[in-house]
Amino acid sequence: MGASTTVEEVVDEVGATAPATTSPSNDGPASGPAQGVLGGARTAYRTVSRHWRRSLQFRTVVATMLLTSVSFVAVGGFLSNQITNALYDQRFDQFSAEASDALDDEKAVFRNSSATDTDTINRLVLDSVTQLVGTDSDAPRQSILVPLPTDNGSVVSTTTSQAGATARMLPPDLQAAVADGEEIYWAPMVIPVTESGATNAPGLAFGTQVTLPPEQNPVALYVYYDLSTMQSTLDDIHRVLWLAGVVLLIVIGAIAWYVTRSVVRPVSYAASVSEKLAAGELQERMEVTGEDEVARLGASFNHMAGSLQDQITQLAQLSQMQQRFVSDVSHELRTPLTTVRMAAEVLHDAREEFNPINKRSAEILFDQVERFQALLADLLEISRFDAGAAVLEAESVDIVQLAQHAMDGARPLAERLGSDLVIVSGESMCIVDADARRIDRILRNLIVNALEHGEGRPVEVHIASNPEAVAVAVRDHGIGMTPLQASRAFDRFWRADPARARTTGGSGLGLSIAMEDARLHSAWLEAWGEPAAGACFRLTLPRHQGTDLACSPLALPPSSASVPQRAAQGRGTRAHAPEPRPQDDDEGHGSGH
């Protein structure tokens, strides 16, 4: 028996019998409901994305379910293919044997028939077609006799055993094979309507040529099997597999959620406790239950937290003792230092009567006592900041006027070093709510610091404002500093080059005090520098207290070409003012670049 296709094609044809459907497309703009659906999809995507990034448990459960789904699809597809092949292979052999025997018998009946008239031949055809009908409940069999295209003088027409069946339902390749050969051929087919009422049901057709008496004209005789019952059984198996897969996927997802929750929950709890510890709640501890790895982790975490609490408490007590010691010593030193200063002033005033050695000793003593007094004043100010006793006495002040005052105080030092002090600003007045004494101290520190490291080059004081803030930047063009040095410029007693000689011999606390004054104003004090390109310190003040700064009106470092220049009063002059005392030059002096 010849064959025009394979068993796998039968299975494929069964799965491809559903009619194709189309839906009208909408090329116009998205309507309101469509936009709402799109917005909901975006919201869902952002939510899932956020959970994917932030939740280890969510990632684990989703990944487990995705991998399980892929495994189920692969295994389910393999099982479905095996079941389908086993089911159709077994029935195909049975159908092939039955159809071959039945067609051979009918071929012999037609060949041995002695019918000569048309009525007898038609009755023979009808009886043969009816004889081929099978009543198998799993796969009913029907038959159809079709004249061949080459049989122009046939006395019979297409005869079918099923109402509504036509020759067009037979596969064209099967009809062509039967017309060209005398063997039995088969092919899968689609039955439009079965006896049970099923539509587009899968089927299997067998056909061969038979000869009609008396001229032995060839015609095609076919039998076909209705496989809708088998397809229904296969669909039931597929539904059971899908249902079992979905249920098993849900169960596995629940198991993964429970297992990961038992592991992730203690880690999340440990993260929460560590955040509270970082926020200063040193008494927080993890709850420890059981003796497993998580319990050992919790016990180790609690031990670490206890050790950190003890060390932090000890450090806090030591810091308080140090602050109290500095404050107490500073206060205690004020009385004897005042006495020593008075004696030093007496000796300094009478130094002309001394011999050269004693005269020099009196001058050195006077200078060092003044420096000691400045250091003591800085230590007292720092101790007030550490104790939280510093009070801001804010009032409306003019930053331009304060900058001019600070420059006037530093001008003698500028003349001695050969540096010009320049105001670069388009502002004539900038009013802010600030403590004038503290702002003046900040500006004096920054200007003196710039002069100390300006290498005799001009020092620029930039002033700019916007509706929310006022900024003052002091820019020098001296030795400069690296970004690392700029980040440490406000540390107490820190100097970029401890061996470098200082003109005024500052205490090393000036910039630290300036930073504390800036914080008291909720202001920004920032440093910038490049080696051999100079340095810049920028102070940004809010116009009104209680306002948070968002940006500064000046860049860091500022550009001299961005605003008009205005020379400070007396710029470039060499006024013969009396030599300033060391404390005038060094009042609140910072730690340097």
Side-chain angles (χ1 to χ4, degrees), residues 98-108 132 184-185 206-210 221-223:
E98 291 179 356
S100 298
D101 293 340
L103 291 175
D104 287 339
D105 291 342
E106 293 303 320
K107 184 183 295 188
L132 290 174
I184 299 177
Y185 302 93
F206 295 85
T208 186
Q209 284 188 16
V210 297
L221 182 62
Y222 301 93
V223 293

Side-chain angles (χ1 to χ4, degrees), residues 226-300:
D226 177 9
L227 306 182
S228 57
T229 303
M230 296 174 58
Q231 182 64 48
S232 177
T233 302
L234 188 61
D235 292 341
D236 291 339
I237 294 174
H238 288 165
R239 281 192 291 269
V240 171
L241 288 177
W242 277 109
L243 180 61
V246 171
V247 172
L248 191 57
L249 182 64
I250 294 174
V251 172
I252 291 177
I255 294 174
W257 177 83
Y258 177 78
V259 173
T260 54
R261 179 175 177 269
S262 62
V263 176
V264 172
R265 186 177 181 183
V267 176
S268 178
Y269 181 55
S272 176
V273 173
S274 64
E275 290 175 355
K276 293 181 179 179
L277 289 174
E281 301 179 19
L282 302 179
Q283 74 282 356
E284 287 292 327
R285 296 293 185 273
M286 290 183 62
E287 295 181 3
V288 179
T289 56
E291 299 179 357
D292 54 10
E293 291 80 1
V294 176
R296 291 199 298 272
L297 173 63
S300 300

